Amino acid sequence: MAITLTRPDDWHLHLRDGAAMAAVLPDTARRFGRAIVMPNLKPPVTTVAAARAYRDRILLARPAGSTFEPLMTIYLTDNTAPAEIAAAKQSGIVHAVKYYPAGATTNSESGVTDWHKARPALAAMEQHDLPLLLHGEVTDSDVDVFDRERVFLARHLAPLQRDFPGLRMVLEHVTTADAVDYVRAAGPKLAATITAHHLLWNRNAIFQGGIRPHAFCLPVLKRERHRQALVAAATGDDPRFFLGTDSAPHARHTKEHSCGCAGIYTAHAGIELYAEAFAAQGKLDRLQAFASERGPDFYRLPRNRDRITLEPVPMPVPATLAYGEHELVPMRAGETVAWRLVSATA
Ligand code: DOR
Ligand code: ZN
């Protein structure tokens, strides 16, 4: 049976820039009303002026007639000035600040080397009530890659909450039962986003008959027990878990490489993949809260007023999609997704 939802928003998205952005933006704009746009460009979006210019480029690249609204973020560095945070809040276009531990992932070289250095900016965010978005992984080379999220919780997140008790934070793309338990036990100022790929795949997907670079993302996929904890959180009652695709396009040749990039492209089926994960639990009735209600409530924005309809008809996914002068390999390439977007009505 078809389902109709309040139009969802994507609370964690990589749009890139230039021709790459123009190629991927229509996939998101067709499905989602708004998206929190990640600032990890080269160079990163560290100022309000850069965020404003990036936003203008996104608006220009929207398909004709689209009302998709990019919600901008700025990239926290060791040197982010409190005045930049005040200006960000004042701008009305910057909705959060992103914390990448330096070296954690794609284009994170300019990220935070030690968050104590960013204390003035964090205090300003707390003062101005501008949320902090966390890539919640430690980067220490002696910590096992599958443990990096769990170690981040005790080593960095707990002290951040202690020192900035008024700061609203989103633990982005949670991947472990540990993170789910941590968020559940925390107060209303901490929320988490969950990707579709972490709901649908466990770490076996990376090694299915050989090494699968298109299933590599960060934080890396975890074991089945963790996937099940994420599914329980997404389909459960706690309002602090909501949708963030982390759709992260990379040109095919940069993933099919001896040192392949992290990131999975899901925007082509950005809501359909979640419908599949929820339907598998018999919890489609919970999709609207997760996809369309809890995110705007946390970010203190109005919920969308228009709707979308999905039907349980298999949608074939092409083997590749155009990506500027290159191509990318989307999630489920050459296979099908169990749901299809039928219509979007005002
Ligand atoms: O898999 C990922 N890809 N994780 C990130 O944190 C960054 C993202 C990207 O920008 O490609
Ligand atoms: Zn991301």
Side-chain angles (χ1 to χ4, degrees):
M1 217 177 59
I3 56 163
T4 295
L5 302 174
T6 297
R7 184 184 287 282
D9 302 298
D10 184 351
W11 300 96
H12 182 127
L13 176 67
H14 298 272
L15 278 179
R16 314 303 189 205
D17 211 346
M21 171 176 70
V24 297
L25 178 61
D27 282 345
T28 292
R30 215 178 138 222
R31 293 166 174 81
F32 296 100
R34 297 163 289 196
I36 285 277
V37 179
M38 289 297 121
N40 63 331
L41 303 182
K42 266 185 170 167
V45 179
T46 55
T47 63
V48 178
R52 194 181 295 284
Y54 185 26
R55 178 173 181 273
D56 289 344
R57 296 196 296 280
I58 296 168
L59 293 176
L60 271 176
R62 286 186 306 188
S66 171
T67 56
F68 171 76
E69 191 187 344
L71 307 174
M72 308 313 292
T73 60
I74 60 174
Y75 184 114
L76 186 68
T77 71
D78 288 349
N79 308 311
T80 302
E84 199 67 44
I85 300 298
K89 181 70 182 190
Q90 184 69 29
S91 74
I93 60 153
V94 174
H95 293 265
V97 178
K98 179 65 188 257
Y99 169 177
Y100 288 105
T105 186
T106 306
N107 299 345
S108 62
E109 300 78 12
S110 320
V112 176
T113 64
D114 174 354
W115 63 261
H116 295 277
K117 293 187 177 155
R119 275 181 176 280
L122 293 166
M125 291 168 60
E126 183 181 37
Q127 182 196 337
H128 295 288
D129 195 22
L130 193 60
L132 178 66
L133 312 184
L134 299 162
H135 183 106
E137 289 194 289
V138 297
T139 51
D140 313 51
S141 57
D142 60 330
V143 177
D144 188 281
V145 68
F146 292 99
D147 295 334
R148 288 181 181 181
E149 181 174 281
R150 180 174 57 74
V151 173
F152 183 88
L153 304 173
R155 202 176 281 182
H156 299 296
L157 182 51
L160 272 166
Q161 289 177 293
R162 181 196 63 212
D163 289 2
F164 303 97
L167 181 58
R168 283 189 295 144
M169 293 188 255
V170 184
L171 189 57
E172 302 276 66
H173 43 53
V174 288
T175 62
T176 56
D178 311 80
V180 167
D181 291 345
Y182 190 99
V183 172
R184 282 195 205 286
K189 295 202 184 287
L190 183 65
T193 55
I194 305 180
T195 77
H197 44 285
H198 288 100
L199 291 176
L200 290 166
W201 280 347
N202 65 33
R203 66 191 192 178
N204 285 354
I206 312 168
F207 307 104
Q208 202 88 55
I211 186 108
R212 302 277 185 156
H214 299 290
F216 174 55
C217 62
L218 287 170
V220 71
L221 295 166
K222 303 299 192 302
R223 59 169 71 238
E224 177 62 10
R225 163 174 93 75
H226 295 294
R227 188 191 71 82
Q228 288 178 8
L230 301 176
V231 169
T235 61
D237 294 330
D238 193 317
R240 291 167 306 135
F241 294 98
F242 49 82
L243 185 155
T245 64
D246 199 14
S247 178
H250 289 275
R252 175 182 190 151
H253 68 279
T254 66
K255 286 188 68 69
E256 297 176 4
H257 188 275
S258 60
C259 186
C261 295
I264 299 177
Y265 186 72
T266 55
H268 63 296
I271 186 65
E272 297 90 327
L273 289 163
Y274 285 100
E276 215 187 275
F278 277 63
Q281 296 302 304
K283 292 277 180 65
L284 269 176
D285 58 319
R286 311 310 310 273
L287 184 59
Q288 157 137 336
F290 177 77
S292 317
E293 297 176 357
R294 298 173 182 171
D297 293 355
F298 183 84
Y299 276 89
R300 301 184 182 157
L301 292 167
R303 296 174 184 176
N304 292 321
R305 291 230 287 272
D306 56 339
R307 291 195 280 272
I308 63 164
T309 298
L310 302 169
E311 60 180 6
V313 174
M315 171 179 73
V317 178
T320 60
L321 298 174
Y323 187 55
E325 58 194 82
H326 302 291
E327 59 184 23
L328 65 77
V329 177
M331 186 172 172
R332 290 282 173 79
E335 301 172 24
T336 58
V337 175
W339 290 78
R340 186 171 78 177
L341 181 69
V342 193
S343 68
T345 51

